[in-house]
Amino acid sequence: MTTAGDGKPISTIVIIIAMQTEALPLVDKFRLTEDPDSVFPNGVPWVRFHGMYKDLQVNIIWPGKDLHLGVDSVGTISASLVTYAAIQALKPDLIINAGTAGGFKAKGARVGDVYLASDVAFHDRRIPIPVFDQYGIGARQTFSPPNLLKELILKVGKLSTGDSLDMSPHDETSILANDATIKDMEGAAVAYVADLLSVPVIFIKAVTDIVDGEKPTSEEFLQNLVAVTAALGQAVSQVVDFITGKCLGQL
Ligand code: SAH
């Protein structure tokens, strides 16, 4: 499906972002506009912002607001659906999944740090039957571009994904087993779909809250969201600048 693998420069990228607050700074930065003729089925809340940035066709895909409750459609189900639909409709050479995450201070994470995830796995899919257990965890290494990592100041760590913002004792055990430094609600789901369809994904995650700290997660998350989103936006635009004009093998 990708052409950029054949030594041609990357031409189309899809940036998957779960929350409006995370997406809008990048929509502004790349001067993207909302697609009036949606490439998605009628009636879904999924939003595509697009435009040319230098030589790149940049698409930001946001799953939008829940049709019934009006909040951002966070979590693995919406993330999987929009990843699938965006790949089918737009045939990107590369996906970037950008967002916020919880961080573990025991692993060196601090609020405001921006990570590139080297590995992803799930922490809330426990199936204690041989081999199904590994299927549930769904651990996989990500596309970790060596030259990009040399050039940009990003931390590298493993990401663990689950559908809850809080952390149950069961989740905690699994997150430890996953050796995770950061915790989100979408990454491993995006990785699963992109792997099925053979599209490489770069995961850029900025830490809004410290999971193994004293403050309640939801409070700390909301307190830091806007500032951390600015750091996220800066990191993603650096990544996009780095990608421009290169083929996948040069990243
Ligand atoms: N209270 C928030 C809810 C957002 S859910 C609100 O009012 O909008 C949290 C989002 O941020 C998810 O997309 C998830 O990927 C990310 N996230 C940030 N910190 C997280 C954490 N500690 N655990 C899991 N996901 C986290």
Side-chain angles (χ1 to χ4, degrees), residues 18-19 21-22 71-75 99-103 123 160 162 164-166 183-187 205-211 217-218 221-222 225:
M19 296 184 62
T21 314
E22 297 164 341
V71 294
D72 286 309
S73 306
V74 300
T100 56
H123 56 252
S160 194
S164 299
L165 180 64
D166 68 1
K183 166 181 181 285
D184 82 341
M185 296 174 63
E186 294 87 16
K205 300 281 165 170
V207 176
T208 39
D209 51 274
I210 295 301
V211 184
T217 295
S218 50
F221 171 85
L222 289 174
L225 183 60

Side-chain angles (χ1 to χ4, degrees), residues 85-179:
I87 293 172
Q88 291 294 94
L90 305 169
K91 312 255 181 282
D93 301 306
L94 177 74
I95 293 174
I96 297 172
N97 174 215
T100 56
F104 290 85
K105 67 169 194 255
K107 293 275 192 187
R110 282 174 312 198
V111 169
D113 283 349
V114 183
Y115 277 88
L116 186 144
S118 59
D119 299 77
V120 297
F122 292 99
H123 56 252
D124 59 357
R125 307 202 318 171
R126 294 175 296 279
I127 315 171
I129 303 171
V131 192
F132 279 102
D133 51 1
Q134 293 167 47
Y135 167 77
I137 294 164
R140 56 192 87 229
Q141 271 188 358
T142 69
F143 175 60
S144 298
N147 297 323
L148 187 150
L149 283 172
K150 252 180 258 159
E151 188 110 340
L152 305 184
I153 306 157
L154 294 168
K155 287 184 150 188
V156 178
K158 296 183 181 181
L159 170 66
S160 194
T161 298
D163 268 307
S164 299
L165 180 64
D166 68 1
M167 183 170 69
S168 72
H170 265 125
D171 287 355
E172 186 171 9
T173 307
S174 305
I175 289 169
L176 277 174
N178 289 343
D179 191 29

Side-chain angles (χ1 to χ4, degrees), residues 212-229:
D212 53 349
E214 285 76 48
K215 294 189 193 155
T217 295
S218 50
E219 213 173 279
E220 197 177 18
F221 171 85
L222 289 174
Q223 233 170 44
N224 296 322
L225 183 60
V226 171
V228 169
T229 297

